Amino acid sequence: QVQLVESGGGLVQPGGSLRLSCAASGSGFNLYAMAWYRQAPGKQRELVARISSGGSTDYIDSVKGRFTISRDAGKKTVALQMNSLNPEDTAVYFCNAQWLRTFWGQGTQVTVSS
């Protein structure tokens, strides 16, 4: 069993930055592929960025060059550094862990607005 707790969301102006963090509890963190998803009002949840157990990363096109996903095995955390934010990035962001089973965090709100 894995529990995920996100933090770091908030209100930011266009062009600003935020850093989301996801803390994992439970065993086997190093075996899990970790990811960040987001869901905007009225839209489906979408994968934003993913990092494999080996550290390989993937991003959706709209965030490439602006967002960076990373993981810290010792602290059992995964982070999403978000730069050059725009209003289209406004959404609830969810942490996801996947290995044999899938686990979700409760989500953290990111609002980009002037």
Side-chain angles (χ1 to χ4, degrees):
Q1 187 75 13
V2 173
Q3 291 185 326
L4 304 172
V5 179
E6 302 98 334
S7 61
L11 173 64
V12 64
Q13 292 187 341
S17 298
L18 280 176
R19 184 177 178 85
L20 305 183
S21 184
C22 173
S25 61
S27 61
F29 177 80
N30 289 344
L31 298 173
Y32 285 84
M34 303 297 297
W36 287 95
Y37 284 72
R38 67 186 179 187
Q39 187 166 18
K43 295 187 177 180
Q44 290 188 331
R45 190 173 298 189
E46 65 173 353
L47 174 66
V48 176
R50 182 178 181 273
I51 185 166
S52 70
S53 58
S56 298
T57 58
D58 292 294
Y59 302 89
I60 57 172
D61 287 344
S62 62
V63 307
K64 285 181 179 177
R66 300 189 298 122
F67 290 12
T68 303
I69 189 171
S70 60
R71 64 191 297 161
D72 186 322
K75 295 180 180 179
K76 294 201 293 186
T77 58
V78 60
L80 185 68
Q81 178 66 43
M82 306 186 294
N83 300 327
S84 301
L85 286 160
N86 59 62
E88 290 70 38
D89 297 314
T90 295
V92 179
Y93 284 70
F94 296 90
C95 182
N96 169 281
Q98 188 169 26
W99 179 66
L100 302 181
R101 293 179 60 188
T102 299
F103 299 93
W104 293 93
Q106 82 287 351
T108 185
Q109 176 70 47
V110 172
T111 302
V112 185
S113 175
S114 56

